[in-house]
Amino acid sequence: MGDKAGPSDTPYFNLDKSSENYIRLCRLITTICSSLLRHILSSHIKPVNLRNELDINRTSLEQKMNTQQKNQIYLKAGCKSIEAQDLDISVLYILLRNICTKLPPPKTGWGKPLQKGDNSESAFIERVRQIRNSISAHNTHGKVSDTDFQQYWEELEHSIIEMEKQLTGDVVYRGAISAIKDMKFTKDDAERYKLEIQQSEDEKESEPQDLPKDKACVGSNAKKPRCSPNSKLVAAIDFGTAYSGHAFSSRVDFENDPLQIKAHKWSKSLLAHKTPTSALFDENKTLIAFGYEAEKKFRELSDDGKHHDHYFFERFKMQLYNKSGDTKQTMLTNKSMIRDISRKELPAMYVFSKAIEYMHNHLLNGLKEQDDDKIAEENINWVLTVPAIWNDSAKQFMRDAAKQAGINNDNLTIALEPEAASMYCKKIQLVKLKEPKAEFQIFSPGNQYLILDAGGDPVGMPCRINVEFSAFDQDAKTPQRYLPMLGELHNTNTVDKFKECDKKEMISEAGKKIWDSIVTGKALDTPELLATFLLLTFADLKKYHYYYWFCFPCLCPSTDITFDQEPKKLKDKLTPEEMEQFLQAYDTFQDAYPTYQGFFVAVLSKGNIVIEDVKHMNKFENTQEVYFGFCDPSNIEDYPGWPLRNFLMLISYHWKGDLRGVNVLCLRDRSRDGTRDISHSLLLSLNVPDIKNVPECPKCVGWEKNEKHKLAPRFVNLSASMDPTRLAASAVDLNLKLMRWRLLPELDLDLISRTKCLLLGAGTLGCNVARCLMGWGVRTITLVDNGRVSYSNPVRQSLFQFEDCVKGGKPKAEAAAEAMKKIFPGVNAKGLSLSIPMPGHAVPESAIDGVKKDVETLQDLVNSHDAVFLLLDTRESRWLPTLMAAEKQKIVICSALGFDTYLVMRHGVRSDTEGADPAPLSSYSSIPGDQLGCYFCNDVVAPGNSLKDRTLDQQCTVSRPGISYMASALAVELLVSVLQHPELGKAPADTSASDEHLSKDFVCPLRLVPHQIRCFVSRFQQVLPACKAFDKCTACSKTVIEQFRQDGFDFLRRAFNDPSYLEDLTGLTQMHQETLDAEVWGFSDDEECSSMEVSSS
Ligand SMILES: [Zn+2]
């Protein structure tokens, strides 16, 4: 076959027929068969859901896969996108077999010899796999005999056509199959297909999985050091029953002060170090929110009735304990399922690993924001705390979940919660004893201490009242099982008014209202009047400082209320059946009202449980077991909460008969781990003084003490979360961080934002470059222009508006800087009106001082910035900044526009501080960055006065309006690529001239860093030329730079006054005489005629 002409000019090597047979079969399998299996997979699992399905089934899939297969789908923890396209045929088969639940197996089952006549989709899938296995058995020689080939080929062809028919009812693959049958192959193909089929090794059939070595449990990993010597940081995740949080401490901090632990504040207003252990997954089983955010989102969804397809897990951690505790039935395994609040199930491993992953990423993002030294993930030692009561299987479960969340098990310590607390306490002792006044000598050697873990309910009083944004809305619905509470907000305009407010007067007013509602009986109909509040606030809206002071008015009888008996638990009085009965009666009672009732009357007699409205209190005989019930917010075991006080006043005033032994039910209705529980509700028997004959309103108390236990307001500083300038800054950064997080982890955003950019020219290019730089997070941008905004500008120059043009127009640079601050107040933008002196524009004696000053200003600007953009409208105006930047080795990005062409280029940055010309190059294939040319290197004439002797239309090149956007965008992207290259301005130039420019390994994470980008919009074509620095360049050659260093302004003045001076100096004049056919190509740009002003100045 060597004599046949092929479709391409690749020479064929002689492959023998049996080798060809082998390659042909490989090709059919890796292309058409794979493609078809992908289609079948996508027909079962929507591509958008693929990632989640893979994660959900991770544990079982991993047991069936080899390393290469696992790498295809689980290599990067948290890597978001995966497409069927990324999967080879062996993985596809595993997925079809294991996670496509609606695909019925072949009649004989998966992985078994097929029954004749089984024409199911799965039978064909199975057949393809079996043939592939047979073929890969030939791998050692890479040959298949003609007879075998014939048989395999027919079977594959038949399977493909049948599968396709069943999938789409079509047979478009037939043509592709015959194309492969006629295809010619080279030796390279042979190697490639052989490798591909080898790589797609068959799945493991053995079920029992040998445990990976890192599966050591807590306690058995004593060999491993707790914290590797390399670790620079210990990061801990506390995955709590009710609340979760994370914290970290760096090695340096720890050595300075072991208690210097940094913890994230989850809620600015609550100053909470933890967030609720709640996770919200959407209908595709993607984790969409965690903690407060999850609760909020789920509440919003359920308000709109859109929550049914979502999965909301609340306080789910202890489900592990419940499962693992019951060893007889449900040993906790990787296959255990947990239920969300509506009893929908997800694999426990998936929910936990996603929650850990969330905390892990959240902590890492926080670290990155700290702007500390960058700490590589491998230098972080992770600690995950678990309750002491957990058994090994639950601990192992958490270890596996952490691994799936992307935490390397070698860097993971599972710690017992009380042990961690205990270690902390020991450090307290150590630290406090260091203090001179040893008042904290709580611990001394030999002392014993007890760690009390109060679990989900903290010992202190948690926040029980929320005043939400909807509080002013009278019609707003109170969420289920929340009690409405009436209050008054007093907001003052100044901090002095806030201080001056007569709090005594306010509370006595409130007390009178309550007293009045009791005396008149209004409170019997509307018991909410008993539980009211006052809120005194002052908001410093400039600083986002908020002062607030709550008051919960309570009437105090002159004689104390005392306990008649010890408080009892409800569960000690009622049998479990009676408890059920009570709950039913209670729910029926509440259901009758549009909002939850905080007060009620209950009869708790054997066999007779009744719940009634407060106003019917007189209906009951005093001899019955009547209890005055209220919803008790208190979590102090034996003491009721404050709403009881005013209720007792009402009872005392209206309840007939003996007031000794008033029975009270403090109803504590909680949900814990998904189970409703009222067993810890209290029953009190109290002696209440008779107030029926009290003539006037009793004393009223209730101003709240602040966190320092003083009668003073509380204070929140919300500047970080409210100040729009800071919000904008963090939002801009977040956007960029997402890009880094998702796509380009190597991206150095800090370097970009630190780079100070000088934009010479605030016209079309200047405006758009400035905007685009802001998009990349550049924070320091200085614009220079000597023009004013004219009526033609705003439509093309994206920072200007009509009002900038009126009355002669605002100075361009200043107006542009102002506009940038309006777009993003966090940007440090400055605008300067400045004329840039140019060669060929003679400086008369009278103007010398002014020009000298301009030169100095420009020099200062170049010195104080890192990158200079040349966005000026004439060629000669670029000369001085090019020279100055070359001399100071700054990065220069230059852009120039034609009518339908544009140039974007970077100038070479010389290595030699002496301004030496670069060494000659051996080849032009890749030019190092220090040998690249500047804008003038291509020219063989010195810049002169391009405006002389030209009519207006010649002076202004009008360009297609889109051109400047394209050129500006590329100019900024070129700068960013240069900044991301490890050699910065010295990065060698990538050109489109070399073939490998699109396939080679890139040093820069953003890939290509070209020297020049020239675009011809008429053809929509773009080329990337590169050119070497020219040793006779009038702007960047050694001669010019040295002369400039030596003579300074005198040198410049000669160049300004006499254009031929530069040509003489560099030897161009001489060269001209030698070569007559020098081609001149310069771009001039900008539709604007602002250059007129330059020439006239
Ligand atoms: Zn040059």
Side-chain angles (χ1 to χ4, degrees):
M1 61 158 283
D3 55 349
K4 280 188 194 162
S8 78
D9 50 3
T10 318
Y12 290 133
F13 290 90
N14 288 327
L15 283 175
D16 60 43
K17 190 73 198 312
S18 54
S19 300
E20 268 206 335
N21 290 341
Y22 173 74
I23 299 167
R24 209 174 294 288
L25 285 166
C26 291
R27 168 104 189 175
L28 186 65
I29 287 167
T30 55
T31 57
I32 295 181
C33 294
S34 302
S35 159
L36 200 50
L37 294 197
R38 284 184 194 113
H39 280 300
I40 297 175
L41 180 67
S42 301
S43 74
H44 286 275
I45 295 168
K46 273 194 244 156
V48 286
N49 294 343
L50 184 59
R51 175 78 268 162
N52 285 336
E53 287 297 331
L54 292 177
D55 287 347
I56 289 169
N57 294 290
R58 180 166 179 160
T59 315
S60 64
L61 284 175
E62 283 199 329
Q63 288 172 359
K64 299 181 175 74
M65 290 184 172
N66 62 32
T67 318
Q68 186 273 127
Q69 291 163 335
K70 280 186 232 170
N71 284 349
Q72 285 182 42
I73 54 180
Y74 296 122
L75 184 61
K76 272 193 189 167
C79 85
K80 284 290 166 245
S81 66
I82 190 155
E83 287 173 24
Q85 211 55 44
D86 305 332
L87 308 175
D88 74 26
I89 192 161
S90 68
V91 172
L92 289 166
Y93 172 79
I94 296 175
L95 299 184
L96 287 166
R97 175 174 170 176
N98 292 291
I99 66 171
C100 297
T101 43
K102 292 210 175 109
L103 180 68
K107 282 179 188 161
T108 47
W110 288 108
K112 305 270 161 46
L114 289 161
Q115 202 182 79
K116 256 203 150 125
D118 185 350
N119 284 326
S120 62
E121 195 174 29
S122 53
F124 290 113
I125 295 171
E126 183 66 43
R127 180 157 293 134
V128 167
R129 182 187 75 104
Q130 290 174 3
I131 298 172
R132 186 205 61 203
N133 284 353
S134 314
I135 292 168
S136 65
H138 294 262
N139 253 336
T140 24
H141 306 292
K143 291 174 198 287
V144 173
S145 72
D146 284 351
T147 356
D148 285 349
F149 174 79
Q150 203 56 37
Q151 192 201 331
Y152 289 147
W153 190 268
E154 276 166 17
E155 277 191 51
L156 282 174
E157 187 169 18
H158 175 65
S159 304
I160 291 168
I161 290 168
E162 284 302 317
M163 280 192 280
E164 200 193 357
K165 262 192 215 156
Q166 293 188 19
L167 184 68
T168 64
D170 218 343
V171 279
V172 295
Y173 276 119
R174 200 189 290 271
I177 297 169
S178 57
I180 291 177
K181 200 161 190 184
D182 296 332
M183 205 172 254
K184 309 292 176 211
F185 294 103
T186 69
K187 227 165 195 159
D188 287 349
D189 293 333
E191 289 307 313
R192 200 171 76 225
Y193 291 121
K194 200 167 157 182
L195 198 69
E196 257 177 55
I197 205 107
Q198 268 170 356
Q199 277 178 349
S200 64
E201 224 175 80
D202 197 17
E203 73 177 288
K204 291 189 204 165
E205 283 297 334
S206 56
E207 263 308 308
Q209 164 85 348
D210 41 350
L211 287 173
K213 287 189 192 93
D214 60 0
K215 284 227 171 177
C217 286
V218 194
S220 61
N221 61 354
K223 275 178 284 170
K224 203 187 82 179
R226 280 276 164 220
C227 180
S228 94
N230 293 334
S231 72
K232 293 187 178 135
L233 190 106
V234 172
I237 297 175
D238 175 26
F239 205 30
T241 309
Y243 289 90
S244 297
H246 57 62
F248 64 89
S249 175
S250 71
R251 183 173 286 274
V252 185
D253 285 347
F254 179 78
E255 280 160 6
N256 285 337
D257 172 5
L259 294 185
Q260 203 174 337
I261 297 166
K262 289 169 188 151
H264 178 75
K265 289 197 178 68
W266 291 86
S267 157
K268 294 270 161 34
S269 53
L270 302 173
L271 299 176
H273 286 302
K274 289 191 173 186
T275 192
T277 308
S278 303
L280 180 63
F281 294 80
D282 69 8
E283 66 274 25
N284 297 328
K285 297 162 194 165
T286 304
L287 179 76
I288 54 169
F290 190 85
Y292 288 115
E293 202 197 330
E295 294 190 339
K296 181 166 168 267
K297 218 170 221 169
F298 188 70
R299 205 161 57 218
E300 285 167 8
L301 284 167
S302 43
D303 283 352
D304 299 345
K306 289 178 183 158
H307 60 294
H308 300 292
D309 294 338
H310 285 65
Y311 297 78
F312 184 60
F313 295 91
E314 220 183 2
R315 301 175 65 123
F316 52 93
K317 183 181 81 167
M318 290 315 270
Q319 289 197 30
L320 280 192
Y321 174 64
N322 297 343
K323 294 221 168 183
S324 57
D326 187 0
T327 41
K328 262 184 252 159
Q329 293 203 338
T330 44
M331 260 294 281
L332 179 81
T333 66
N334 292 348
K335 286 173 187 157
S336 303
M337 304 293 280
I338 57 171
R339 285 177 172 160
D340 84 334
I341 59 162
S342 59
R343 306 183 75 78
K344 291 199 289 287
E345 285 192 327
L346 278 184
M349 180 59 81
Y350 180 71
V351 175
F352 278 81
S353 70
K354 286 290 161 192
I356 296 172
E357 184 185 312
Y358 174 87
M359 294 296 256
H360 167 258
N361 293 352
H362 193 271
L363 196 156
L364 283 183
N365 284 342
L367 274 180
K368 280 174 188 154
E369 272 167 31
Q370 293 257 325
D371 211 26
D372 280 355
D373 285 337
K374 265 165 245 145
I375 292 171
E377 171 103 46
E378 63 263 26
N379 291 330
I380 300 178
N381 200 64
W382 291 91
V383 177
L384 196 60
T385 56
V386 297
I389 45 173
W390 278 22
N391 63 15
D392 281 349
S393 110
K395 287 174 205 161
Q396 181 57 46
F397 177 92
M398 285 302 267
R399 186 168 274 278
D400 291 347
K403 191 180 170 192
Q404 293 203 1
I407 297 175
N408 184 344
N409 259 329
D410 292 341
N411 298 340
L412 176 70
T413 307
I414 301 279
L416 299 179
E417 284 159 9
E419 271 182 16
S422 169
M423 280 169 73
Y424 182 82
C425 293
K426 283 185 189 164
K427 297 292 181 196
I428 291 182
Q429 166 201 12
L430 189 137
V431 170
K432 295 300 180 192
L433 285 177
K434 273 200 244 162
E435 317 263 321
K437 286 185 212 159
E439 27 180 325
F440 286 97
Q441 270 187 337
I442 308 165
F443 298 109
S444 56
N447 269 5
Q448 292 187 342
Y449 57 87
L450 177 72
I451 299 287
L452 174 67
D453 186 351
D457 287 323
V459 176
M461 183 83 130
C463 178
R464 293 294 191 193
I465 293 170
N466 292 317
V467 180
E468 294 197 328
F469 60 93
S470 61
F472 292 105
D473 183 357
Q474 300 260 341
D475 302 327
K477 262 212 245 152
T478 322
Q480 263 270 298
R481 297 171 81 181
Y482 278 73
L483 299 169
M485 204 172 158
L486 302 169
E488 276 174 38
L489 173 71
H490 298 258
N491 187 40
T492 63
N493 285 333
T494 63
V495 74
D496 293 328
K497 284 264 165 58
F498 182 85
K499 286 180 193 155
E500 283 164 14
C501 254
D502 190 343
K503 284 111 197 161
K504 270 190 193 151
E505 177 63 28
M506 286 171 76
I507 196 168
S508 85
E509 281 283 309
K512 269 183 205 140
K513 278 187 199 160
I514 295 173
W515 180 246
D516 188 52
S517 73
I518 292 173
V519 174
T520 58
K522 261 195 259 169
L524 288 170
D525 284 325
T526 322
E528 287 110 281
L529 294 171
L530 297 173
T532 57
F533 69 93
L534 296 174
L535 177 55
L536 180 61
T537 59
F538 167 67
D540 182 339
L541 294 176
K542 275 197 184 126
K543 292 185 191 152
Y544 303 98
H545 288 177
Y546 296 82
Y547 298 85
Y548 68 98
W549 200 346
F550 270 105
C551 171
F552 304 102
C554 290
L555 297 171
C556 300
S558 45
T559 320
D560 281 348
I561 298 166
T562 54
F563 282 113
D564 195 30
Q565 287 169 29
E566 285 288 295
K568 270 195 295 192
K569 292 267 161 65
L570 182 64
K571 65 175 174 202
D572 296 333
K573 177 171 175 65
L574 300 185
T575 63
E577 292 76 37
E578 286 169 333
M579 290 276 243
E580 264 314 300
Q581 224 182 323
F582 171 85
L583 270 181
Q584 265 182 15
Y586 178 71
D587 288 346
T588 318
F589 163 75
Q590 293 288 13
D591 286 348
Y593 293 89
T595 54
Y596 237 57
Q597 296 295 299
F599 302 92
F600 53 90
V601 182
V603 176
L604 303 178
S605 311
K606 280 254 168 291
N608 180 27
I609 288 179
V610 184
I611 313 275
E612 262 293 359
D613 206 288
V614 174
K615 65 183 164 207
H616 302 308
M617 60 158 75
N618 284 317
K619 201 162 92 176
F620 301 105
E621 292 295 319
N622 208 7
T623 47
Q624 280 177 301
E625 287 202 71
V626 180
Y627 286 79
F628 293 99
F630 78 106
C631 295
D632 184 8
S634 168
N635 57 359
I636 303 171
E637 204 181 353
D638 286 343
Y639 286 90
W642 53 268
L644 179 59
R645 286 183 179 232
N646 294 335
F647 192 32
L648 287 175
M649 299 300 269
L650 178 80
I651 295 163
S652 169
Y653 199 92
H654 290 279
W655 184 245
K656 56 188 180 186
D658 187 7
L659 290 167
R660 293 190 61 83
V662 170
N663 292 328
V664 173
L665 164 60
C666 311
L667 184 67
R668 298 174 176 187
D669 187 0
R670 310 271 154 84
S671 280
R672 241 186 128 138
D673 311 322
T675 324
R676 188 172 179 191
D677 181 16
I678 54 161
S679 61
H680 56 305
S681 299
L682 284 184
L683 295 175
L684 311 175
S685 179
L686 301 169
N687 298 316
V688 182
D690 187 353
I691 57 161
K692 184 97 190 184
N693 300 315
V694 174
E696 58 185 25
C697 174
K699 202 181 133 211
C700 188
V701 295
W703 283 107
E704 195 191 32
K705 288 179 177 173
N706 68 9
E707 45 289 72
K708 289 173 190 154
H709 294 284
K710 289 198 173 132
L711 267 175
R714 290 169 189 254
F715 165 75
V716 224
N717 180 356
L718 289 185
S719 58
S721 57
M722 297 279 290
D723 183 346
T725 314
R726 291 171 71 170
L727 282 179
S730 69
V732 165
D733 288 349
L734 182 67
N735 213 345
L736 290 164
K737 272 174 194 150
L738 278 178
M739 174 162 68
R740 179 175 66 183
W741 188 253
R742 295 259 161 87
L743 305 168
L744 293 164
E746 314 92 318
L747 201 63
D748 188 348
L749 292 170
D750 295 337
L751 176 62
I752 299 172
S753 81
R754 280 201 312 270
T755 301
K756 298 186 183 113
C757 295
L758 175 63
L759 275 52
L760 301 178
T764 47
L765 287 167
C767 285
N768 294 333
V769 165
R771 287 201 74 130
C772 203
L773 285 173
M774 283 199 283
W776 268 108
V778 173
R779 291 287 157 87
T780 311
I781 301 170
T782 308
L783 291 129
V784 171
D785 201 294
N786 67 341
R788 288 180 174 270
V789 186
S790 72
Y791 286 109
S792 66
N793 292 161
V795 293
R796 288 198 180 197
Q797 307 188 357
S798 58
L799 288 171
F800 303 134
Q801 306 197 343
F802 174 72
E803 52 260 42
D804 297 323
C805 321
V806 295
K807 292 182 194 159
K810 290 186 187 164
K812 272 190 153 173
E814 281 96 324
E818 222 172 87
M820 284 163 71
K821 282 189 191 143
K822 271 191 201 155
I823 291 165
F824 176 49
V827 71
N828 173 16
K830 286 199 194 82
L832 242 94
S833 279
L834 176 75
S835 302
I836 296 171
M838 303 178 246
H841 296 250
V843 184
E845 207 61 46
S846 59
I848 284 187
D849 286 347
V851 171
K852 203 168 182 179
K853 229 180 137 211
D854 289 345
V855 168
E856 277 164 16
T857 311
L858 184 64
Q859 184 70 63
D860 288 346
L861 286 171
V862 169
N863 294 353
S864 59
H865 287 77
D866 307 301
V868 182
F869 281 85
L870 300 183
L871 312 166
L872 297 149
D873 38 21
T874 60
R875 195 170 147 265
E876 60 267 30
S877 60
R878 296 159 200 259
W879 177 79
L880 182 57
T882 299
L883 171 59
M884 284 175 169
E887 198 258 331
K888 293 287 174 198
Q889 297 165 36
K890 301 284 179 180
I891 296 170
V892 177
I893 307 287
C894 177
S895 180
L897 310 179
F899 165 68
D900 57 4
T901 56
Y902 62 83
L903 161 72
V904 173
M905 72 179 292
R906 60 181 167 119
H907 289 182
V909 177
R910 304 281 169 272
S911 300
D912 186 0
T913 48
E914 293 305 305
D917 281 326
L921 279 179
S922 52
S923 110
Y924 277 80
S925 62
S926 171
I927 308 173
D930 57 355
Q931 300 181 21
L932 288 170
C934 79
Y935 179 68
F936 293 96
C937 280
N938 286 334
D939 293 337
V940 285
V941 283
N945 189 341
S946 61
L947 304 175
K948 234 190 230 168
D949 308 324
R950 291 198 198 175
T951 59
L952 189 66
D953 63 310
Q954 281 172 320
Q955 287 162 22
C956 315
T957 312
V958 179
S959 55
R960 288 172 66 160
I963 297 264
S964 82
Y965 289 93
M966 294 187 236
S968 327
L970 283 173
V972 171
E973 295 305 325
L974 180 59
L975 172 73
V976 171
S977 290
V978 167
L979 291 177
Q980 295 304 308
H981 194 283
E983 293 181 67
L984 298 168
K986 297 186 177 71
D990 292 301
T991 71
S992 48
S994 80
D995 279 344
E996 87 250 11
H997 83 289
L998 292 177
S999 59
K1000 62 170 198 165
D1001 288 334
F1002 292 95
V1003 191
C1004 173
L1006 292 169
R1007 315 206 121 199
L1008 282 184
V1009 188
H1011 177 220
Q1012 302 178 17
I1013 304 151
R1014 283 179 190 259
C1015 187
F1016 307 91
V1017 182
S1018 54
R1019 280 172 279 150
F1020 289 96
Q1021 187 190 34
Q1022 190 170 289
V1023 292
L1024 307 177
C1027 85
K1028 201 180 152 265
F1030 179 37
D1031 63 355
K1032 295 183 175 55
C1033 175
T1034 53
C1036 77
S1037 64
K1038 184 183 169 186
T1039 330
V1040 173
I1041 289 177
E1042 279 182 353
Q1043 201 69 38
F1044 172 51
R1045 280 189 180 155
Q1046 197 185 308
D1047 297 342
F1049 185 72
D1050 288 339
F1051 158 77
L1052 295 179
R1053 201 179 155 215
R1054 285 180 75 177
F1056 297 153
N1057 288 343
D1058 174 11
S1060 62
Y1061 167 66
L1062 286 172
E1063 293 181 21
D1064 294 342
L1065 180 72
T1066 54
L1068 271 179
T1069 317
Q1070 195 189 346
M1071 197 182 83
H1072 277 299
Q1073 285 158 359
E1074 288 159 8
T1075 49
L1076 295 167
D1077 56 344
E1079 192 191 336
V1080 184
W1081 187 24
F1083 274 87
S1084 65
D1085 63 297
D1086 200 20
E1087 89 285 10
E1088 224 3 79
C1089 302
S1090 61
S1091 44
M1092 291 286 287
E1093 291 158 72
V1094 175
S1095 63
S1096 61
S1097 64

